[in-house]
Amino acid sequence: MRILLQSPVKGHFLSVFSRFNRDLFEALKPPGIKMDILRFDGSKPGDIVHIRMKIPIIGVQEWISTITEDVEEENRAWFTDTGEKLPSFLRYWKHRHIVSKNGKSSIITDDITYRTPSLFFDYLMYPVIYLQFAMRGPVYKKFFSQLPSIPPAEVNESLQQQ
């Protein structure tokens, strides 16, 4: 199954991309799920993200993802996390976090591919996963509301000149 969601945000795409860090990860925690971050290395290849979640009805589940890709191009940048140890209701997880230039702003695309133990459950989980990620839009908007519309290097240069 594949889910694609786009969220427009303020800020130059490289400034937005550079702020995909632990603070943002914590801000994106789904409501209703107790989540402990056991490890958060970052978003470069080889980095690990390890969380423990307490999900109502299902119970305690662990999720370990490895960052497998990190790319910067002229008008977009992305990194990919791939599930290594997944909650019992998932068999496969790949999530590309894409930040694209959109004039002086950016668009964040969550490109998610997942599989569960059965095709029936794939379809049953689709609205659940979709809603969890759709709720990220307002969080992204608030988190990135104060970013400049110029690349990070130019921000540093202008601050040094002041």
Side-chain angles (χ1 to χ4, degrees):
M1 298 295 289
R2 187 170 185 203
I3 296 173
L4 280 170
L5 288 164
Q6 293 191 318
S7 305
V9 296
K10 288 184 178 180
H12 187 276
F13 80 100
L14 290 175
S15 294
V16 171
F17 187 68
S18 72
R19 292 195 61 207
F20 271 77
N21 55 29
R22 186 180 180 127
D23 291 338
L24 176 60
F25 189 70
E26 288 176 0
L28 293 170
K29 181 184 90 58
I33 296 177
K34 183 178 178 342
M35 183 176 88
D36 295 316
I37 301 170
L38 304 177
R39 180 175 174 182
F40 186 93
D41 296 345
S43 56
K44 299 292 181 195
D47 287 349
I48 302 289
V49 177
H50 182 182
I51 61 174
R52 181 177 297 129
M53 304 174 294
K54 186 171 184 181
I55 303 170
I57 301 170
I58 296 173
V60 176
Q61 301 284 308
E62 288 201 35
W63 189 317
I64 300 172
S65 284
T66 301
I67 307 305
T68 55
E69 184 179 42
D70 174 45
V71 178
E72 283 187 26
E73 295 180 341
E74 186 177 336
N75 293 313
R76 68 181 183 156
W78 70 87
F79 69 94
T80 303
D81 70 84
T82 302
E84 300 292 333
K85 180 178 182 182
L86 296 168
S88 58
F89 53 88
L90 288 173
R91 291 293 178 263
Y92 176 82
W93 182 267
K94 188 174 192 176
H95 180 187
R96 283 181 76 197
H97 309 257
I98 306 163
V99 183
S100 304
K101 184 177 182 178
N102 185 32
K104 292 187 176 187
S105 295
S106 300
I107 294 177
I108 298 172
T109 302
D110 286 298
D111 182 353
I112 301 155
T113 306
Y114 73 92
R115 280 191 298 278
T116 69
S118 73
L119 186 59
F120 173 76
F121 205 50
D122 286 352
Y123 283 101
L124 193 62
M125 288 298 296
Y126 187 92
V128 175
I129 295 171
Y130 184 92
L131 287 172
Q132 292 287 329
F133 281 86
M135 289 191 284
R136 288 180 167 209
V139 177
Y140 285 145
K141 192 171 198 157
K142 181 179 179 186
F143 194 86
F144 295 112
S145 65
Q146 302 300 316
L147 285 183
S149 60
I150 57 176
E154 293 178 31
V155 170
N156 291 337
E157 288 174 18
S158 68
L159 290 174
Q160 290 172 357
Q161 293 173 358
Q162 293 178 2

